[in-house]
Amino acid sequence: MKIAISAESTIDLPKEELERFDIHTLPFTLILGEKEVLDGQIMPEELFKFTKSTGKLPKTSAVNEFQYREHFKKLKDMGYDQIIHFSLSSGISSAYSNAMKVKDEFDGVYVIDTKSLSTGIALLAIQARKLVDSGLSTIEVYEKSLARVKDVQASFSLESVNYLYKGGRCSMLKMLGANILHLKPEIYVDTNTGKMSAGKKFRGPMKSVVLNYVEDTLEKFNHPDLSLCFITYSTAPDDVVLAVKERLLKEGFKEVIPTHAGGTISCHCGPHCLGILYINDGNK
């Protein structure tokens, strides 16, 4: 039995990690005025430059039914008997719904609502790959993946809520209040709803804010699976990323992988957004 692990480009893994874990992806579409590009074909800095020059946020278009149909067919033609697809949270995108409408056209396609985003999705997909490689059946991998969705800790420290406001995920009142007070909030993904919610708010330079966010997260989600943690960011100085990595290694994480957020995620979080993502079930 040959099993494919699949996700959208919002998994935010670089090519080498996708190849390492044998994960197949298909891209969201980004719309910059009259121009359309596929997620992965443009760097976050270019998206931020577009917003700065136009005052408009690039739009994101979820993978549609036709694209899923072509993707699943391609994997079937490659010889995969079954497919486990990990989709961006249904709480923030129509991607999961679109995938579900198509999956029954093929035998052996399973779709998981990760209730997460970015490398929160990657944590589940990587676990699934390891379970497949260990010899578990598709149903066993699917059920173990579903059971772990609720334990994914996906969160970010934001420099500004302006991009969330432009994307309709933050009210005018909250945006103005945060800007006037120079607040830099934490944003967490609620694995019950799959939607984003605000945590603590900090003031100060990026490095101190990010390190305070890391400490708060490790205290709040204090049963990490120490096998893997991601540091995922849109833009960040090297010294900030290094400081976070050193703190996570000190915490005991065996592998800490820094990754850049892709275009879809960066469109909504803005520049100088950095998050740590891990599975919080190490007590089990």
Side-chain angles (χ1 to χ4, degrees):
M1 181 70 68
K2 194 176 179 183
I3 304 170
I5 303 299
S6 168
E8 296 106 26
S9 58
T10 48
I11 194 172
D12 283 354
L13 283 181
K15 182 179 179 181
E16 59 268 23
E17 297 298 338
L18 292 172
E19 291 176 350
R20 173 187 173 190
F21 295 108
D22 193 17
I23 298 170
H24 302 266
T25 61
L26 71 167
F28 269 54
T29 300
L30 305 175
I31 305 167
L32 291 77
E34 301 298 318
K35 178 182 177 182
E36 290 190 7
V37 296
L38 295 178
D39 193 1
Q41 294 181 344
I42 187 170
M43 295 300 293
E45 289 85 356
E46 295 178 67
L47 300 173
F48 304 148
K49 183 178 179 180
F50 171 83
T51 297
K52 186 175 181 179
S53 64
T54 65
K56 298 178 181 179
L57 195 69
K59 295 180 180 179
T60 59
S61 177
V63 180
N64 60 40
E65 293 175 43
F66 173 80
Q67 290 168 312
Y68 280 116
R69 189 174 292 112
E70 291 296 300
H71 177 68
F72 294 149
K73 182 179 184 301
K74 178 182 176 182
L75 291 176
K76 287 289 187 176
D77 290 344
M78 290 169 63
Y80 287 101
D81 303 290
Q82 299 189 318
I83 302 165
I84 305 176
H85 179 79
F86 293 85
S87 197
L88 178 63
S89 171
S90 62
I92 56 179
S93 172
S94 62
Y96 171 72
S97 174
N98 291 341
M100 287 294 289
K101 292 174 183 176
V102 172
K103 76 175 188 69
D104 288 339
E105 297 177 19
F106 303 87
D107 292 330
V109 175
Y110 300 81
V111 178
I112 292 175
D113 180 358
T114 64
K115 302 291 183 71
S116 193
L117 48 71
S118 190
T119 45
I121 301 170
L123 290 163
L124 294 170
I126 289 170
Q127 173 203 239
R129 166 51 59 203
K130 292 178 178 178
L131 292 174
V132 168
D133 291 346
S134 73
L136 294 188
S137 69
T138 309
I139 292 295
E140 289 173 312
V141 175
Y142 173 73
E143 290 178 347
K144 286 181 179 292
S145 297
L146 279 179
R148 228 176 183 197
V149 163
K150 69 183 185 306
D151 296 313
V152 175
Q153 186 290 122
S155 61
F156 297 86
S157 169
L158 296 183
E159 179 184 57
S160 166
V161 296
N162 289 346
Y163 276 70
L164 288 180
Y165 167 68
K166 288 177 183 292
R169 290 180 170 84
C170 173
S171 70
M172 171 69 81
L173 184 62
K174 289 182 179 179
M175 184 272 290
L176 289 175
N179 287 347
I180 290 170
L181 297 173
H182 304 290
L183 298 177
K184 299 175 181 179
E186 303 170 330
I187 299 294
Y188 291 91
V189 181
D190 184 334
T191 54
N192 292 311
T193 64
K195 297 181 179 181
M196 293 182 285
S197 60
K200 286 187 178 180
K201 301 173 181 65
F202 301 103
R203 291 189 182 93
M206 182 180 182
K207 188 171 183 178
S208 65
V209 167
V210 166
L211 289 175
N212 283 332
Y213 146 74
V214 170
E215 293 298 333
D216 187 57
T217 301
L218 291 173
E219 180 180 354
K220 188 180 299 183
F221 300 92
N222 57 2
H223 296 292
D225 175 345
L226 294 172
S227 62
L228 176 61
C229 182
F230 285 101
I231 305 170
T232 301
Y233 57 96
S234 56
T235 59
D238 291 343
D239 68 312
V240 173
V241 178
L242 179 60
V244 173
K245 184 173 182 178
E246 289 176 345
R247 177 62 185 89
L248 294 171
L249 290 172
K250 183 179 178 181
E251 186 70 17
F253 284 99
K254 297 178 179 63
E255 185 172 15
V256 178
I257 303 177
T259 73
H260 285 283
T264 300
I265 302 303
S266 294
C267 277
H268 297 292
C269 69
H272 289 176
C273 167
L274 184 148
I276 60 171
L277 303 94
Y278 55 86
I279 296 181
N280 189 52
D281 66 353
N283 58 325
K284 294 180 182 178

